[in-house]
């Protein structure tokens, strides 16, 4: 349904805009190759013992933590939690002790809240496992973490690799070795192919959406998702469309959609629904059944329509957020073009102290 659209092209619109296939494949394969390092670190954490694993972040990294936590919640008895760094710094968590472990990621390696967070965690005496994108940044310094992996991008994948091995250690992922063999053989190519497969649809979606935004700049675009797609929904609306494109948005989970937002959806309200393939898929399917009855300006992105060659059905749910990210990469490339708005510029973010 979502990817059947043929792309209308202006002469200036290239196919696969801003897409480097080789780089995309090598990036994912490089992240997958981190598995021995991740396993070694988690073996140390496991041997030392812990009373809780806390995925902590701010903004997009908090969204990635939400994805890891919901992924593990229904599969594991391990004490796994997600925390917003700014909330933790102000409110704390009485369950958090010197036996707790923080897992976090940072692109810049110097985000204010995360620098303060790791210092607070070390004051308590807990341990920190950091994924940092930027070598030589502040958060890569020895006093800022106990376990460190430096590698760019692929944040959600790195979190899930840690989550999978934790569950394997706890006897909850018997197919761990089989799963990883499949991912290492096929995931990078499957995600690159997903970008190519969705490119024409993304171009058309972006063209229509940009035109609607220009005509209705004060009307927010609504993003809806659940399961590991809710972190994607939350992050995509806030970190991409608001921060990078300066478009008003609202994100909400499928399960909460019917308890408020449902009543403000009318015929021309712009809505995008993310549907993944994890256990919360039925929640998104319920929204998909409702939208056509009241709305004519919705889009559905369903990862089930992507081929993801080589990934068996029972494993697809664990990577559907990565597949959604692949589609959204294509959307971003064309939104940037049709909005005539470079995604790298900011009005306020990190432009001055606040």
């Amino acid at each position: 349904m979502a990817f059947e659209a043929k792309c209308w092209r202006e002469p200036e619109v290239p196919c696969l805009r801003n897409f480097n296939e080789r780089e995309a494949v090598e990036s994912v394969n490089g992240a997958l190759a981190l598995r021995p390092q991740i396993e070694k670190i988690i073996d140390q954490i496991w041997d030392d013992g812990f009373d809780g694993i806390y995925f902590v972040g701010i903004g997009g990294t908090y969204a990635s933590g939400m994805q890891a936590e919901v992924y593990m919640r229904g599969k594991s008895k391990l004490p796994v939690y997600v925390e917003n760094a700014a909330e933790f710094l102000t409110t704390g968590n009485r369950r958090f002790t010197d036996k707790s472990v923080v897992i976090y990621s940072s692109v810049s390696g110097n985000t204010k809240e995360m620098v303060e967070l790791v210092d607070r965690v070390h004051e308590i005496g807990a341990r920190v496992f950091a994924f940092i994108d930027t070598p030589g940044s502040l958060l890569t310094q020895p006093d800022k973490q106990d376990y460190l992996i430096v590698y760019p991008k692929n944040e959600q994948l790195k979190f899930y690799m840690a989550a999978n091995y934790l569950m394997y250690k706890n006897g909850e992922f018997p197919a761990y070795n089989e799963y990883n063999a499949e991912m290492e053989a096929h995931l990078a190519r499957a995600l690159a192919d997903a970008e190519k497969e969705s490119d024409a649809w993304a171009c058309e979606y972006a063209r229509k959406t940009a035109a609607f935004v220009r005509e209705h700049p004060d009307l927010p675009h609504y993003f809806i998702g659940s399961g590991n797609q809710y972190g994607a929904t939350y992050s995509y609306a806030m970190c991409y469309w608001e921060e990078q494109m300066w478009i008003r948005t609202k994100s909400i989970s499928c399960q909460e959609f019917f308890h408020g937002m449902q009543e403000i959806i009318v015929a021309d309200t712009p809505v995008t629904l993310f549907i993944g393939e994890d256990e919360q898929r039925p929640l998104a399917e319920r929204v998909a059944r409702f939208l056509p009855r009241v709305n004519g300006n919705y889009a559905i992105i369903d990862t089930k329509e992507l081929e993801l060659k080589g990934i068996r059905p029972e494993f697809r749910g664990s990577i559907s957020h990565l597949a959604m990210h692949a589609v959204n990469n294509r959307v971003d490339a064309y939104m940037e073009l049709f909005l005539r708005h470079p995604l790298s510029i900011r009005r306020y973010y990190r432009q001055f102290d606040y």
Side-chain angles (χ1 to χ4, degrees):
M1 176 172 59
F3 301 112
E4 293 176 354
K6 299 298 182 182
C7 186
W8 172 91
R9 302 278 186 177
E10 296 176 350
E12 66 194 270
V13 182
C15 292
L16 290 167
R17 183 177 190 267
N18 295 347
F19 178 61
N20 185 321
E21 184 172 1
R22 178 179 177 182
E23 182 180 286
V25 170
E26 290 179 351
S27 178
V28 173
N29 279 334
L32 291 167
L34 298 173
R35 184 160 66 93
Q37 295 180 57
I38 293 172
E39 291 177 347
K40 182 178 179 180
I41 289 169
I42 290 176
D43 283 340
Q44 296 176 49
I45 291 170
W46 194 272
D47 291 343
D48 291 338
F50 57 89
D51 61 8
I53 299 290
Y54 291 77
F55 288 93
V56 185
I58 191 78
T61 59
Y62 173 56
S64 296
M66 288 195 289
Q67 290 174 317
E69 187 275 335
V70 75
Y71 173 59
M72 296 183 72
R73 190 192 310 160
K75 298 176 177 63
S76 178
K77 293 181 180 179
L78 289 170
V80 176
Y81 312 98
V82 60
E83 285 277 353
N84 180 286
E87 288 189 14
F88 186 90
L89 288 167
T90 54
T91 304
N93 187 325
R94 289 293 296 272
R95 293 177 299 193
F96 193 91
T97 75
D98 60 356
K99 294 293 290 181
S100 301
V101 175
V102 164
I103 300 177
Y104 81 94
S105 176
S106 176
V107 175
S108 69
N110 61 19
T111 306
K112 176 181 178 181
E113 293 91 343
M114 298 312 298
V115 173
E116 294 181 19
L117 182 280
V118 298
D119 289 342
R120 178 71 59 82
V121 167
H122 280 146
E123 288 173 6
I124 296 170
R127 290 157 289 166
V128 175
F129 178 7
F131 292 101
I132 309 296
D133 286 25
T134 307
S137 57
L138 178 59
L139 286 169
T140 65
Q141 301 308 304
D143 64 326
K144 295 301 182 186
Q145 29 65 34
D146 302 282
Y147 315 100
L148 172 66
I149 291 178
V150 179
Y151 186 81
K153 302 181 180 179
N154 302 285
E155 179 173 279
Q156 296 93 341
L157 176 56
K158 290 180 285 191
F159 275 8
Y160 268 51
M161 290 168 71
N164 286 333
Y165 192 56
L166 282 164
M167 291 191 291
Y168 174 71
K169 295 281 288 185
N170 206 42
E172 296 164 332
F173 199 159
Y176 178 78
N177 291 318
E178 185 179 1
Y179 174 91
N180 282 299
E182 189 163 295
M183 294 300 159
E184 288 159 14
H186 301 292
L187 180 62
R189 171 53 54 194
L191 294 177
D193 287 347
E195 294 209 35
K196 294 191 290 184
E197 185 180 347
S198 60
D199 184 68
W201 177 88
C203 179
E204 182 69 3
Y205 170 89
R207 182 183 68 82
K208 291 180 177 178
T209 301
F212 190 88
V213 168
R214 284 193 294 270
E215 294 175 7
H216 308 277
D218 295 324
L219 185 62
H221 193 108
Y222 293 89
F223 287 93
I224 311 168
S226 60
N228 62 20
Q229 296 299 340
Y230 179 66
T233 303
Y234 173 84
S235 175
Y236 193 59
M238 177 176 65
C239 299
Y240 290 82
W241 282 44
E242 289 182 341
E243 180 182 316
Q244 297 182 22
M245 302 180 199
W246 304 348
I247 298 173
R248 290 169 172 82
T249 69
K250 180 181 178 180
S251 58
I252 193 165
S253 66
C254 297
Q255 53 270 35
E256 288 297 300
F257 170 81
F258 291 102
H259 300 276
M261 184 187 291
Q262 175 188 32
E263 288 297 329
I264 55 94
I265 300 296
V266 294
D268 64 346
T269 305
V271 178
T272 299
L273 172 65
F274 291 176
I275 305 183
E277 298 170 65
D278 65 2
E279 62 275 8
Q280 291 193 24
R281 179 181 175 87
L283 302 177
E285 290 176 328
R286 184 185 180 201
V287 179
R289 290 191 296 270
F290 171 79
L291 285 174
R293 300 176 65 180
V294 300
N295 182 260
N297 192 23
Y298 68 92
I300 294 174
I301 306 177
D302 186 349
T303 64
K304 197 170 184 179
E305 296 177 13
L306 295 164
E307 183 180 13
L308 301 179
K309 186 176 181 180
I311 309 298
R312 70 187 67 180
E314 59 264 38
F315 294 158
R316 287 175 61 110
S318 71
I319 58 132
S320 60
H321 59 309
L322 304 179
M324 187 66 67
H325 182 66
V327 176
N328 288 334
N329 282 342
R330 298 290 81 229
V331 171
D332 296 344
Y334 296 113
M335 288 292 288
E336 179 180 56
L337 176 65
F338 292 126
L339 290 171
R340 282 10 183 215
H341 175 86
L343 301 186
S344 60
I345 62 174
R346 304 288 185 272
R347 284 193 184 105
Y348 314 122
Y349 183 64
R350 294 184 179 237
Q351 301 304 306
F352 49 85
D353 291 333
Y354 46 82

